Amino acid sequence: MLSKVSLNIYSVLGQQLMILVDERQGAGHKNATFDSSTLSSGVYFYRLYAQPLDGKAGTYSDIKKMLLVR
């Protein structure tokens, strides 16, 4: 089953800073490269969103906090 998947990084103010993934993907384990060289130390959030393309199952969305330490 294919889903539209996005993985984004946000600041504490809710500004979208990076788009790591924005594509159709099948089920299974995936990896994404995160280049944090343009960000300073601090608290950030990442949001994983998946919406099945067949329309039969529900969408998945989760937001987690991330601490970047340099």
Side-chain angles (χ1 to χ4, degrees):
M1 170 182 1
L2 283 177
S3 295
K4 170 127 173 58
V5 177
S6 65
L7 177 61
N8 302 322
I9 307 295
Y10 296 90
S11 71
V12 293
L13 299 176
Q15 299 166 317
Q16 182 175 300
L17 302 175
M18 293 182 183
I19 299 172
L20 300 180
V21 175
D22 188 21
E23 60 190 24
R24 293 179 181 187
Q25 293 186 350
H29 294 277
K30 308 293 182 195
N31 292 321
T33 302
F34 175 47
D35 179 11
S36 64
S37 62
T38 61
L39 301 176
S40 58
S41 294
V43 176
Y44 296 90
F45 295 89
Y46 62 93
R47 178 179 184 238
L48 177 63
Y49 178 81
Q51 180 180 20
L53 296 177
D54 65 4
K56 294 181 182 177
T59 61
Y60 174 81
S61 180
D62 199 9
I63 299 173
K64 300 282 185 182
K65 185 166 45 171
M66 170 177 60
L67 181 62
L68 180 62
V69 180
R70 297 227 174 254

